[in-house]
Amino acid sequence: MEHNPAAAWFGEAANAAEQQGSGDLLRIVLVVMMLGCALTAWFLLRGYKRKDD
């Protein structure tokens, strides 16, 4: 196993990131999933609210 300096490793990682693309679809999926979980939790938890009339 050869030793690579940290600067070379970061350079290779930056080059690989440029070739792979931005990953916008994954970001959109994650944001929609988080919003969906929050809305589902709100909808389910509001049903447990008691009316003290």
Side-chain angles (χ1 to χ4, degrees), residues 28-44:
I28 292 170
V29 168
L30 289 174
V31 168
V32 169
M33 183 180 66
M34 299 282 279
L35 290 174
C37 289
L39 287 173
T40 303
W42 173 77
F43 181 74
L44 291 174

Side-chain angles (χ1 to χ4, degrees), residues 12-50:
E12 290 175 10
N15 288 338
E18 289 176 359
Q19 294 172 359
Q20 291 179 354
S22 61
D24 291 332
L25 179 62
L26 180 60
R27 287 186 191 104
I28 292 170
V29 168
L30 289 174
V31 168
V32 169
M33 183 180 66
M34 299 282 279
L35 290 174
C37 289
L39 287 173
T40 303
W42 173 77
F43 181 74
L44 291 174
L45 291 173
R46 78 180 180 130
Y48 292 109
K49 185 171 59 171
R50 291 185 178 181

Side-chain angles (χ1 to χ4, degrees), residues 1-18:
M1 186 168 148
E2 66 185 60
H3 176 71
N4 291 334
W9 187 84
F10 282 122
E12 290 175 10
N15 288 338
E18 289 176 359

